[in-house]
Structures are given as C-alpha cells and as structure tokens.
Amino acid sequence: MNLYRKFFFITILSIISIVLIAQKPIYLDLNRNIEERIEDALSRMTLEEKVAICHAQSKFSSAGVPRLGIPENWMTDGPHGIRAEVLWDEWKQAGWTNDSCIAFPALTCLAASWNTEMSAIYGNAIGEEARYRNKNVLLGPGVNIYRSPLNGRNFEYMGEDPYLASKMVVPYIKSVQKNGVAACVKHFAVNNQETYRHSVNVKVSDRALHEIYLPAFKTAVEVAGAWAIMGAYNKYKGEQCCHNQYLLNDILKRDWKFDGVVVSDWGGVYDTKLAISNGLDMEFGTWTDGLTMGASNAYQNYFLAQPYLRLIQNGEIETKELDDKVRRILRLIFRTNMASERYFGTFGTNEHAMVAKKVAQEGIVLLKNERQILPIETKKINKIVVIGENATRKMTIGGGSSSLKAKYEVTPLEGILKRVGDSIQIQYARGYESYGERKDDPMGKININTTGKTADELLKEAVEVAQQADYVIFVGGLNKNKKQDAEGEDRESMDLPYSQNELIEALVRVNPNTVVILICGNAVTMPWVSKAPAVVYGWYAGSEAGNALASVLFGDVNPSGKLPFTIPVRLEDNSAHCLGEFPGTKEEVNYKEDIFVGYRWVEYKKLKPLFAFGHGLSYTSFEYSKLALNRKQIQNNDSIEISLKIKNTGTRAGSEIVQLYINDEKSTVVRPVKELKSFKKVYLNPGEEQSVTFSIDKTALQFYNEKSQQWEVEDGNFKVFAGAASDDIRCSGSFEYVK
C-alpha cells in the first residue's frame, strides 16, 4: 500500500512537472534580462493574446495574459495628480472613498520655478502616488509649446521655449519612472490648439518642427528615457498623429531609437491598416469617449482588436508589426508591473502635500511691485479686504482630463485667513460671479454666499468695502470652465472674463494698495496694469495653493518664479495671431510665424511685451558682474565655459534665475535675436556673492538646415547674454566658432 501511495504521488508530481515544463510560466524567468524575457514571453503567446494587449479593455486599462502571469496595464490621468477611479466603461467616477489624491501645481507653475530640482521631487511624489494606486502608466507630462495665449491646454504644458521645457521635463520623467511607473509624454506632436483638434492638419516648416516643437520630446526620449509617448489628435503631413509614418516610425522610432510604447490619445485612431503600419502600439478610447457613438464595451471593435485579428487570420497581413508592438508592450510591463524592484508607493501624504506647496512657492511669479507694497506687514495694518471669485474657487476640479478629486484644496482666502489668524480683520466680497463649483464659508469665519446679486451689485459692494481697507487683495483670473483653461475648447479672447478688468479698474481707483492676483495658466490682457501697484501670477497651484500664495504675499517666502511664456500687450502682438493663423480652418492651420514663437517673435519684430519671457521680481535685488569666457574660440568638439558673479544686494535671502542666451551674429539663414541655451537658479543670503558657470558646446549654436535635413553650425562670431529675463540683459561677451 505504501508502495502504491508512493507511486501515485510520484506520478502526480511527474504530471505537474511536465505541465510546468510545457508552460514555462513567465514568473520562473525573472532573473533573465528584459530582452530575453520579452522574447521568451512573445514565443509563448497566442495570436489572440498578442492582439488583445494592443488595445483597451476598459476606459483606462488593457489586458494582460493571465495564463502566463503577465499583468494588465493601468493608465491614469494626469500630469498634476492621480485621477479618481472611473467606472469600467464610463467616465463617471466609481464612487471610491480612498482615491482622493494630492493635487500638484499645473506644469506651467512647475516650469515657472525654473528649478530642475523641483521637477525631480514633483516627479517622484506623483510617481509614488501612481504606484500606490497600482497605475503603471502616468499620462503625462505634457510638453507642447505655448504658441498662442488662447490654447485651452497651455496650463498643462511647460511654456514657449523648447530649451526650458526640455530641461524641466527630464527630472520629472526620471523621477516618475524610478517608481516603476512609465511617464507617457504627450501630445506628440504639434498639438497647439483645441479648436478642430481632431481634424486640423498642421502645416509647419521642417525647421520650426525640429527647432521649436520637437526638442522637448526628443530630450524626453534620448535623455530622460521615457517609456511611453502619447500621440496627438491633430494631423501632420495629412496623417493623424496617432498613426503617423513620419512622426512615429521615422523620427521617434528610427531616428531617436525610442524603445517604448506609443499610446493613442483617447479616440485618436481612425484606421486599422494605418494603425498597424504607422507606429501605433496601443489603442485607447475609440468609440467609448462618451462624445461620439458612445457604444458600451466596444473594445473588441477597436481598430487594433478584431479587425486586426481578422486581417492576420485571413492572410491579408503578416505578424511582423504585431510582434514589434507586443515586444514594446511587454517591455513596458517588465519595466513597471513586473520590475524586480518596485516600491509600494505612498498616497495622499503630508510629505507629498509639502512637495506641492514647495513647487507652488517657487513657481509663483511677482510681476510688479511698485512702492514695495509687498510683502504685506500685518503689524502695520488693521484690515484687508479680499475680493474675487477665484479667492474661494477650487481649481483642481474641471479643465478636462486634468480634473482631480483632491484630498483637499486650500483656496487663496483660506490661506490668507490661516496666515493672519486673528491679528487683523479680513473681509470678503465676491466682486464678480461666473458659474460652476463653489466653496462657501471657509473655515467657518466668513459667509461668502452672494447668490442672487447682479453683476453691478457685486461690483458696487466690492468697491464699497475696498475703500475701507488698508489693503485690497483681488484674486481673479481664469478658471477651468469651457473656453478658458480647459481641454476641448480654446479661449475666445485674451481678456479676463466676467468683467474683471472693469472691476480691477474700479478697485485701484479707490484703493492705492490693491494687489492683483491672477490665478490662471495663460496670458491675459491687463489694461489696468499701469495703475495697479502689485501683480502676482499664482497659477493653478494644487492642494496647497492658498497656503503657498499667502506665504509669498506676507513675506514668509521670497518669490523667485519667472514667466515661462511671454505676456503680450495685446493678442495681435503674438506671432500666431499677427499672421492670422490661429486656429485656422477645420481642415488646416499654417504656422506662418515659423520659428518665431514667443520672445523670438517679440524681439525679431522689436515689440515691447507687457511682461517678457523669463521675467519675475523678488523682494531683494541682485547684481550681475564679471562675465568671462575661458576661451575666445571653439571648434567642433570643444566646449566653452562662461562664468559670472551674482550678488544679493538686498536685505532678504532669495533666489535668482540666471538666464543665458546666445546670438549668432551672422548667418546664412534668418535666426532669432537670441535663444535661451542655459539657466541656473541660485540661492543667496543678503550680501552673498557666488560664481555661476555655464558650459556651452556646438549643439547650442546649431540651427536645423532644411536642405540637408541636418543640424548645422556655421563659422562665425557668437554673442553671449546673461540676464534676469529675455528683456533684462545684465552682461555679455562673445566668442568665435571655427569648424
């Protein structure tokens, strides 16, 4: 009997061993390198399994291969926080009680910090939040260039300059991905408007494409090593960007050697054969976006689902492209969900909130400060009146895919109340009213419910209380409503909405100590700017917005942010609008301004901006001196060191962003007056002086030659400019380049 039992167990074990050997589960091969594991997994997958992982199975997930132990992919919006869970097949929130995230500042605010260290801690914190929520792909960051002040999604991006965006995106991506979460950089490419975004074909020169619109994406791939790229909705060269031969196959995968996954924007795919051949790897959102057909559980009808499978089964196409897609998707999974070292992550923590606060503090820009009325010294005043709907409005809600379910959000009024405590009297008046989400009675101290009052009544009330205050803090700007800072529609005007300009004019007329705070992610007109003594750009600053703003207003933090885009006096001073090509027609938009975007256009046309690219004031002052070059001539493989002294000549500690621009004195092609090529943020105590050094090589001198389709640099003299803004150059030098 014992022999029989022994024989029985040996037989069972033998059968199990045979099955295991036959199956060779993926999880037995974890010690092999990723490429070997990819080929191993690929060889075991059925045709149906390969096709299944190339398209969505729900709103934000795609299938794995349970038979082989390969997990699903789970995507999440967005670049500013981890989106609330939605139902499997609907945009409606799932009603979870544990998915309230920390909201981080919008990327315009991050870019305004001009601090790569802030980008790194931001990326790490949001990566930890994504990891905790079991998301392995973060749909961000966005690096599309600020072409027009009317683009509804500018607040999601990093400004008008390709160099600034390139430098700021790298640490973000690296820090996200060290958490085992892929950064999906978007929207590739030339996606610079929301109007006609699904149909418009962008006509742009090869030079502008390579010099302005591609550098941040290229750096994200070649320097940061991004694991995913999202295609754009628009067309380029007549092809949809989500299946675009030139952008995806020629540039991204061939020239840049991108080994990651190309993900479609939701609903951005239009054709099975083009999706197969033109570089797309994963399809999301087709016919389930709630905006078009609205079909339920239509995932098997996706272009890369059953239609793809049938083409292969019918012998119409081979599996070469499919295997490449699957290899890339497996590589994504092995880098993220199946990484040997992947942290558990943390979510909604105080540490992450303090990261959000720090980024906001460093990004807030002091545009104007006459009579040094900021910072506000509470010991010298008795009453502050806060006016404006944005003082009480939650800005993490709305705006499209960047909308968040924040664990909390401190509004500007709440931040001011918390900062001053009971030391002075705070009174609130709405002043104007829009529509949408509200927050009434902050901290139980002030009743701000004014529903039912007309616009004239709100303005009159605001002016009356303003006359009685030592300080007026007006908090206005834009919001996340449609046709403002929001996905899906562009702004109709550069003006402030809801008659805010008239209100500000009235406030500065009755109170000379009026501080204007603009909460927005875009440039706005300021017809009252000569009369308002202080103007602050507060951005969309996330969970700690109010606390960060209050810390700057009352001098706990010395502002150090600089504008990542130019604020023109009027819309016509923007190159896209001056040349009449925004937003174009439903079929086409022509970038006639070519490379002259932002400050490049302003300087080329010798215009005076309202506030220049790189502008931002401090509560202290800085002196630049002794610019020196370590050599007067460089050749192909040389670099040149440029050094200067920077000194804090004021009475407060603070940070200055030293900006380095370069000009080609004589060229065979038209070039900008100068271009940003380096920057450093330097912290200095009062009286402290530091030496700042930049290293420049020939890559900083190049232009893209459309005839040769290559980056080139010509012999000749180059000027170097160091300054506090593009229009505030403090010292300069020159050198010669010889091939």
Side-chain angles (χ1 to χ4, degrees), residues 665-711:
E665 289 194 61
K666 186 177 181 181
S667 175
T668 58
V669 298
V670 177
R671 301 196 68 176
V673 174
K674 60 179 180 292
E675 297 175 277
L676 181 72
K677 293 300 178 181
S678 197
F679 61 87
K680 287 187 179 179
K681 194 164 191 174
V682 186
Y683 180 84
L684 296 167
N685 288 310
E688 182 181 1
E689 183 177 68
Q690 286 187 26
S691 179
V692 179
T693 302
F694 302 96
S695 182
I696 295 295
D697 60 24
K698 76 171 186 178
T699 60
L701 315 178
Q702 295 174 331
F703 66 91
Y704 189 82
N705 189 321
E706 293 187 317
K707 292 181 180 179
S708 66
Q709 295 287 292
Q710 298 289 331
W711 287 93

Side-chain angles (χ1 to χ4, degrees), residues 325-356:
K325 298 178 197 301
V326 174
R327 283 188 180 96
R328 292 172 179 274
I329 296 167
L330 289 172
R331 190 175 293 119
L332 171 73
I333 295 170
F334 289 143
R335 284 169 165 171
T336 58
N337 284 337
M338 294 187 73
S340 57
E341 293 184 5
R342 193 176 186 222
Y343 303 107
F344 186 69
T346 54
F347 185 72
T349 65
N350 183 65
E351 289 78 10
H352 290 170
M354 292 305 99
V355 168

Side-chain angles (χ1 to χ4, degrees), residues 5-17:
R5 187 179 293 114
K6 183 176 182 181
F7 175 76
F8 175 78
F9 282 120
I10 290 174
T11 302
I12 295 299
L13 289 173
S14 298
I15 293 171
I16 293 172
S17 298

Side-chain angles (χ1 to χ4, degrees), residues 206-222:
D206 287 346
R207 184 180 174 198
L209 180 73
H210 286 272
E211 289 191 19
I212 303 296
Y213 298 103
L214 292 186
F217 288 103
K218 184 178 182 181
T219 305
V221 171
E222 295 186 339

Side-chain angles (χ1 to χ4, degrees), residues 137-182:
V137 180
L138 177 71
L139 301 176
V143 292
N144 294 103
I145 293 297
Y146 188 112
R147 178 177 178 251
S148 161
L150 302 190
N151 181 8
R153 298 188 80 171
N154 277 337
F155 71 97
E156 296 185 49
Y157 304 139
M158 295 187 176
E160 72 185 28
D161 185 76
Y163 181 83
L164 175 62
S166 297
K167 296 300 288 186
M168 293 300 292
V169 78
V170 169
Y172 181 111
I173 293 170
K174 287 185 174 180
S175 295
V176 167
Q177 294 186 168
K178 77 177 184 180
N179 288 283
V181 175

Side-chain angles (χ1 to χ4, degrees), residues 93-112:
Q93 288 191 12
W96 289 19
T97 59
N98 60 349
D99 58 347
S100 298
C101 69
I102 294 298
F104 298 92
L107 292 187
T108 42
C109 182
L110 174 63

Side-chain angles (χ1 to χ4, degrees), residues 656-671:
E656 172 69 328
I657 299 161
V658 183
Q659 302 162 41
L660 190 78
Y661 297 84
I662 288 183
N663 160 260
D664 186 351
E665 289 194 61
K666 186 177 181 181
S667 175
T668 58
V669 298
V670 177
R671 301 196 68 176

Side-chain angles (χ1 to χ4, degrees), residues 281-295:
D281 299 312
M282 301 183 77
E283 178 186 2
F284 281 83
T286 306
W287 305 129
T288 62
D289 59 4
L291 302 175
T292 53
M293 289 177 64

